[in-house]
Amino acid sequence: MQVGFGRGFDGGKKINGVKVHLGVDKYGIPQAIDVSPANVHDMKGIIPVLRELSSKGFRGSALGDLGYRGKRLAKAGWELGVTVKAVARGRDGVFIPTGICWVVERSFAWISNYRRLKTIFERTKEYLVAFIELAFVSILSRRLRRLVIEGGSA
């Protein structure tokens, strides 16, 4: 049994510990989740997410920020049938929502409301991914309940 998973420090994002990589649909619902040590570059960290998306039948374009550009990632995406398109989403350090790219940021904001996910205590990668999935189940069930209540009273 694995005792713990790797952690690191990303100097650019000032993150100590782990990074969560999400592949979401246009509504912000996760289709693929992976975590990696924070010192793993985004281009390497997203490849397991692309593999999971591809195994679920996704083909086409995946949008990401400018951290997801380069020949190595383009080749990995091409082999999986996924085209990775890097989109500039900010200027001078200010986030500017561009098209549908803000959806993944909203998904990260949703899970940031969960105390258990603010500080990562999990000893294994699988447990952390499971807690992220549980957070999204909670989020989506509340959204669904709200739709049913609003729809029933109209």
Side-chain angles (χ1 to χ4, degrees), residues 27-50:
Y27 303 108
I29 300 169
Q31 304 299 310
I33 302 170
D34 194 48
V35 293
S36 66
N39 59 343
V40 171
H41 194 277
D42 289 345
M43 283 196 323
K44 287 184 182 178
I46 200 67
I47 290 178
V49 171
L50 294 178

Side-chain angles (χ1 to χ4, degrees), residues 8-139:
F9 181 75
D10 181 354
K13 292 184 179 177
K14 309 277 190 285
I15 297 172
N16 191 18
V18 297
K19 284 185 197 172
V20 176
H21 305 279
L22 290 177
V24 300
D25 65 9
K26 66 181 181 178
Y27 303 108
I29 300 169
Q31 304 299 310
I33 302 170
D34 194 48
V35 293
S36 66
N39 59 343
V40 171
H41 194 277
D42 289 345
M43 283 196 323
K44 287 184 182 178
I46 200 67
I47 290 178
V49 171
L50 294 178
R51 274 194 205 109
E52 188 175 342
L53 288 172
S54 178
S55 71
K56 292 179 177 179
F58 178 80
R59 299 291 180 266
S61 297
L63 303 176
D65 61 18
L66 292 179
Y68 299 111
R69 62 181 172 189
K71 291 179 183 177
R72 185 180 296 162
L73 182 61
K75 182 180 178 197
W78 181 80
E79 291 171 357
L80 296 168
V82 179
T83 305
V84 181
K85 293 186 178 181
V87 178
R89 297 187 305 179
R91 287 188 204 103
D92 302 323
V94 177
F95 173 71
I96 300 171
T98 305
I100 199 164
C101 290
W102 61 273
V103 174
V104 73
E105 302 299 336
R106 182 183 65 183
S107 297
F108 278 117
W110 285 343
I111 64 172
S112 73
N113 291 324
Y114 286 80
R115 181 177 55 91
R116 179 103 189 209
L117 297 174
K118 286 188 185 220
T119 303
I120 307 300
F121 295 107
E122 307 316 319
R123 307 261 320 159
T124 65
K125 179 178 177 176
E126 291 77 18
Y127 278 135
L128 178 55
V129 170
F131 276 108
I132 294 168
E133 289 171 345
L134 284 171
F136 275 107
V137 167
S138 173
I139 292 162

